[in-house]
Amino acid sequence: MTKFLLSLHVLAAILAIGPVTVAASMFPQAVRRVAVAVPVGTAGGGDGAAGAGAAQDDMSTVRLLHRICRVYSGLGVAVPLLGFATAAAMGVLGDAWLIASITLTAAAAGILLAFVLPRQEELLEDLTGRQPVERARTARLAMFTGLFNLLWATVTVLMIVRPGSTTGA
């Protein structure tokens, strides 16, 4: 049963957290492309119809990346739930590496919910309303996204290395 739960936990992490980390990382640059392609107060941008079409494609990309982050972050709830079930089956709920992983996972979720997703929504609203987007705002979003990704990478390493664990490799 432990191997089955561990397999589900790892698959959930790959399929739910992976898309969020990639899409969230791509989002700030996609916003910058739209902000440059469609100057404030214009209907299109660039070379008439061709510029407007490219700007529309870039805007569709921004919307898609945000939707991926929002939907897959909801699916990501399965990762810690399966993780708890796996840890209970392995009898490691009190191990330091697991407690550290749980803490870092909570921090990553907090950053995603408090800083990444709301800022994505704000930038998306600004682009939709043809409001100016300052590069500093996309840079801050990229910083929070990088922190989110770094926390998940650290959790992944802890899950593999499991320092001090008697069940580790």
Side-chain angles (χ1 to χ4, degrees):
M1 183 63 152
T2 300
K3 290 181 182 183
F4 177 72
L5 287 171
L6 182 58
S7 296
L8 288 178
H9 174 62
V10 170
L11 283 171
I14 292 168
L15 297 174
I17 305 304
V20 175
T21 60
V22 172
S25 295
M26 294 172 66
F27 189 89
Q29 182 61 36
V31 168
R32 288 184 202 120
R33 273 196 313 273
V34 172
V36 169
V38 182
V40 178
T42 64
D47 307 339
Q56 195 61 24
D57 289 346
D58 289 341
M59 191 62 188
S60 295
T61 299
V62 170
R63 285 188 181 102
L64 175 63
L65 292 171
H66 177 61
R67 186 174 33 228
I68 289 169
C69 291
R70 199 178 62 241
V71 170
Y72 282 86
S73 65
L75 297 174
V77 171
V79 176
L81 293 177
L82 289 166
F84 275 116
T86 303
M90 292 173 66
V92 295
L93 282 173
D95 286 10
W97 63 269
L98 184 67
I99 294 168
S101 294
I102 291 168
T103 303
L104 294 174
T105 297
I111 288 171
L112 182 66
L113 295 174
F115 298 105
V116 175
L117 292 175
R119 281 176 172 71
Q120 284 183 352
E121 289 170 12
E122 291 168 5
L123 289 167
L124 190 55
E125 287 173 11
D126 288 349
L127 290 175
T128 302
R130 301 209 185 277
Q131 300 298 315
V133 174
E134 298 171 11
R135 183 168 175 81
R137 291 176 62 205
T138 60
R140 277 191 298 276
L141 175 58
M143 177 194 65
F144 287 121
T145 300
L147 186 55
F148 169 78
N149 292 344
L150 180 62
L151 289 169
W152 273 114
T154 304
V155 168
T156 301
V157 170
L158 283 172
M159 290 288 139
I160 294 168
V161 175
R162 300 187 292 198
S165 172
T166 58
T167 62

